[in-house]
Every structure is written in C-alpha cells, then in structure tokens.
C-alpha cells in the first residue's frame, strides 16, 4: 500500500499532493456573528432578552402566561416562541395578552440566531417597537440538548426544570445547565405530591450550573414570581 | 453538521482540492453536541460533495475547571465543577465548550513537489 495516501497501489508516482490544514475554526461562527448582531440590536433598544430553555412540558408557556397575568399590566412583554410545528403556543400567549410571534422550525430541534433575526422583522412589521418593550422572552424549542450550543444574542439564559422531572435532571444535561445564568425550578406546587428533594436538586444545580442564580416558582399559584422579577433584573413598575 | 460541510468545502475550494480525505473536529464535553449524532449525520451530509468518503476524526476535549481555593485545574467529569480536593464549586471553566473544525486533510491536483 502506498504509505502516502493509502490508495492501495504498492508504489506509484504521485500526481496529486496531500495538504494538511490546521484550522481551529469555530463551527458555529455564522450563528455567533448573527447572535452578536441581535445582541447589539437589543442593547441599542435597551430591552432585556431571555432565552428560555427546558425539556418539553416543563411549563415554559405556562410561565409566560403567568408573566403576562402578573406583570402584563405594568410591563410591556413580547415573546418569540419556537416549536417544530403548530402555532398553538403563540396563540396561547396572545390569549394571555402577550404580543407573540411563532417560529416553526420544521425539523430543527433548536432555534438559531438567524431565525430570531427573522422573527424580529415580523415583530417590527406587526408594529411592535423593540425599544418600547420592557422584556422580550425567546421560548426555545423544548429540548435540553441542542439549543445549548446556539447563542441567540440574549442577555440572560434561563434554564428551567420542573419538580416532576427529578432532582438529577441537571446532572443528565450538564452542557445546557452550564450555560445558564438563571435556573428556574417550576411547578413547586407539586413538590409534596412527587416527593421532590429540594436540597438535593439545589446541590445538583450548583455542581453543573455554578454561575446560575436559582428561583423556585409555581405558574399555577404565582409563588416566586416576585423573586423571578428581581432575578431577571426587571424594575418593579406601576401599572401602565 | 451542515456547518462542518460548508466550512470544509470552502477550504477545499480555496486549495483546489480534488477531494477531502480527513475531517478532524474538536468537541468539548460541554459543547452541547453529541459526537455519535455527528457521526450518524456525517455520511449523509457529505454525500455528493468533495467530502464524500472522507474519514471523520473527533478529538474529545474533557471539561476542566479551576479551583480558586486550591489554585489548581481539575477535570470536571460529567460537567460537575466540584473540586475533588476541597469540595468547592468552581465557576471558572477552563476548557470543555470547544466546537471546532480542527484540521482538514486534502488531496490536491497540483503536486508542488513535482512542479
């Protein structure tokens, strides 16, 4: 076998060259460039932007409905919602009084910065001015794996787990929890019913999400919503 | 995986490559990417391009964190940033989020040694 190219010919004159290129190029550089553009746009508009990640069914949309109910009178909130199919979530949020844009990703299991860029154009053509908002929430596709690699330009990354998912969920998805600025434990009204071991969960979160602040909420009862407002850095405003 | 293909084909085009023989990726254990899923998608994504039949090599980068108390770096197995010596939680991830096209091996038409 030719030792240069493993081509199977015992010895032969090479008519082609082998080139080795050391690159070290970031695979997501295109996404990162678009995310940086989104980030400067959000900054210029002075609007905090949350990238909300969780498993399917942790209660992302329910939390947004609760935000609309508790904060909607004093804060102008808009949402961009990602799902593989249907605009059910956007309609749920619109019914709750939020301005909401649905992104249907088709087969993609995560949102990318470019999709958010397009959604911003839709928000604008609907007459929603970014600069007039107090909060923009990007509800990512329910998935604790792929969305973690994609920066969307957000100012805060919020990862949510519900008490029904088990205390060791953070240890099973360390990459996603590592990137969290805030971890929200949801459905705490069900803690007793499912025997949720709070201290164990907090310990696991600290191990794999060492930078994150933790907030415990119930979208059903509204418990913890005031603390969440503070952790997100939103001012307490009087009703508009 | 499309990003791998696009970056690799761009380089192959610039270097007038006949084909891509090896694509080497560097993937951190906390990059949020599953190497097995990449391997699964690789052949499908590369089909019909200069990268068809290329070998895929994945260099794993184990996550490491720095302990402020012990002033040392330790491997963060499974992403757990708890110092094995003193038990302190580290907020300083030194490596483990890499997601890179590390290198490419190309077969080119013109052999500079013979010309």
């Amino acid at each position: 076998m030719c030792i240069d190219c493993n081509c199977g010919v015992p010895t032969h004159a090479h008519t082609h060259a082998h080139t080795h290129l050391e690159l070290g190029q970031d695979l997501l550089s295109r996404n990162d460039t678009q995310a940086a553009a989104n980030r400067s746009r959000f900054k210029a508009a002075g609007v905090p932007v949350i990238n909300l990640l969780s498993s399917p069914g942790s209660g992302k949309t329910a939390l947004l409905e609760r935000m609309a109910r508790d904060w909607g009178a004093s804060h102008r909130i808009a949402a961009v919602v990602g799902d593989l199919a249907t605009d059910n979530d956007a309609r749920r949020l619109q019914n709750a009084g939020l301005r909401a844009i649905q992104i249907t990703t088709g087969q993609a299991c995560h949102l990318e910065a470019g999709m958010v860029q397009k959604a911003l154009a839709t928000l604008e053509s609907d007459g929603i001015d970014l600069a007039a908002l107090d909060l923009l929430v990007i509800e990512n596709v329910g998935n604790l794996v792929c969305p973690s690699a994609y920066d969307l330009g957000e100012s805060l990354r919020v990862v949510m787990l519900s008490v029904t998912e088990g205390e060791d969920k953070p240890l099973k998805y360390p990459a996603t929890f590592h990137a969290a600025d805030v971890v929200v434990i949801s459905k705490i009204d069900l803690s007793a019913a499912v025997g949720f071991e709070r201290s164990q969960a907090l310990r696991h979160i600290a191990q794999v999400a060492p930078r994150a602040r933790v907030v415990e909420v119930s979208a059903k009862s509204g418990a913890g919503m005031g603390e969440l407002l503070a952790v997100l850095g939103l001012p307490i405003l009087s009703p508009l | 995986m499309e990003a791998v293909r696009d970056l690799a084909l761009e380089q192959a085009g610039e270097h007038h490559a006949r084909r891509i023989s090896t694509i080497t990726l560097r993937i951190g254990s906390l990059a949020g990417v599953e190497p097995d899923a990449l391997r699964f998608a690789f052949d499908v994504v590369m089909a019909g391009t200069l990268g068809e039949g290329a070998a895929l090599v994945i260099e794993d980068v184990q996550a490491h964190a720095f302990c402020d108390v012990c002033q040392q770096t330790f491997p963060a197995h499974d992403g757990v940033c708890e110092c094995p010596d003193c038990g302190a939680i580290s907020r300083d991830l030194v490596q483990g989020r890499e997601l890179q096209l590390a290198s490419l091996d190309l077969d080119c038409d013109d052999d500079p040694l013979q010309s």
Side-chain angles (χ1 to χ4, degrees):
Chain A
M1 187 186 281
C2 167
I3 54 162
D4 286 337
C5 64
N6 297 331
C7 63
V9 179
T11 51
H12 67 112
H14 277 104
T15 54
H16 55 267
H18 304 288
T19 305
H20 176 80
L21 299 175
E22 280 298 325
L23 295 166
Q25 277 181 310
D26 283 333
L27 287 180
L28 297 182
S29 56
R30 198 186 328 174
N31 182 76
D32 291 344
T33 305
Q34 282 167 334
N38 289 350
R39 186 166 283 116
S40 39
R41 208 166 149 192
F42 297 143
K43 205 173 169 191
V47 59
V49 179
I50 292 170
N51 181 4
L52 181 58
L53 279 72
S54 82
S55 304
S58 296
K60 292 184 295 300
T61 310
L63 181 69
L64 277 160
E65 286 173 319
R66 172 53 76 170
M67 285 178 177
R69 193 164 142 192
D70 287 10
W71 307 344
S74 51
H75 296 76
R76 283 155 301 195
I77 306 170
V80 171
V81 191
D83 275 305
L84 272 66
T86 83
D87 62 352
N88 292 352
D89 280 2
R91 282 194 280 118
R92 262 176 75 181
L93 295 175
Q94 284 157 1
N95 289 338
L98 288 188
R99 283 151 282 201
I101 302 290
Q102 182 84 44
I103 302 176
T104 43
T105 59
Q107 297 191 32
C109 53
H110 58 269
L111 291 181
E112 296 182 13
M115 299 176 188
V116 172
Q117 220 166 40
K118 280 186 199 148
L120 292 180
T122 312
L123 271 178
E124 248 170 25
S125 64
D126 284 4
I128 300 166
D129 179 12
L130 267 186
L133 292 176
D134 296 305
L135 177 65
L136 175 66
V137 182
I138 303 168
E139 182 187 328
N140 218 311
V141 179
N143 177 353
L144 278 181
V145 185
C146 316
S148 87
Y150 294 86
D151 182 11
L152 303 180
E154 70 269 16
S155 38
L156 278 180
R157 188 171 290 200
V158 179
V159 178
M160 187 157 82
L161 82 152
S162 60
V163 298
T164 59
E165 293 168 56
E167 301 81 4
D168 59 348
K169 193 89 182 234
L171 300 183
K172 292 175 179 168
Y173 298 91
T176 297
F177 279 86
H178 248 280
D181 299 301
V182 176
V183 172
V184 173
I185 301 177
S186 64
K187 306 187 190 180
I188 58 166
D189 51 291
L190 296 177
S191 293
V194 297
F196 183 65
E197 296 283 351
R198 179 175 177 271
S199 59
Q200 206 179 33
L202 292 176
R203 176 172 166 73
H204 292 156
I205 291 168
Q207 285 175 321
V208 294
R211 295 184 306 108
R213 296 181 68 182
V214 182
V215 192
E216 298 159 75
V217 303
S218 164
K220 195 175 178 188
S221 72
M225 290 304 287
E227 202 192 339
L228 181 61
L229 193 73
V231 165
L232 297 180
L234 298 179
I236 297 166
L237 301 171
S238 6
L240 296 167
Chain B
M1 206 67 228
E2 284 85 357
V4 175
R5 178 194 62 201
D6 295 348
L7 286 176
L9 290 179
E10 196 180 300
Q11 291 290 341
E14 277 177 26
H15 289 81
H16 308 291
R18 206 164 45 82
R19 64 180 281 268
I20 301 170
S21 53
T22 306
I23 295 181
T24 305
L25 305 181
R26 188 174 296 131
I27 299 181
S29 58
L30 293 176
V33 169
E34 192 46 62
D36 283 346
L38 284 182
R39 286 198 185 91
F40 181 76
F42 185 72
D43 290 342
V44 178
V45 170
M46 292 298 165
T49 74
L50 290 180
E52 182 164 341
L56 175 65
V57 175
I58 295 181
E59 293 174 5
D60 297 312
V61 181
Q62 166 69 45
H64 278 78
F66 182 77
C67 176
D68 260 348
V69 182
C70 303
Q71 290 290 303
Q72 65 172 0
T73 298
F74 62 91
H77 295 296
D78 294 328
V80 172
C81 287
E82 200 171 59
C83 175
D85 288 337
C86 73
I89 300 279
S90 164
R91 294 176 155 213
D92 189 1
L93 191 71
V94 180
Q95 61 175 49
R97 295 199 74 90
E98 295 78 0
L99 189 52
Q100 293 177 339
L101 174 59
S103 66
L104 279 181
D105 289 277
L106 306 173
D107 291 348
C108 299
D109 271 334
D110 300 311
D111 189 340
L113 298 175
Q114 294 195 354
S115 60

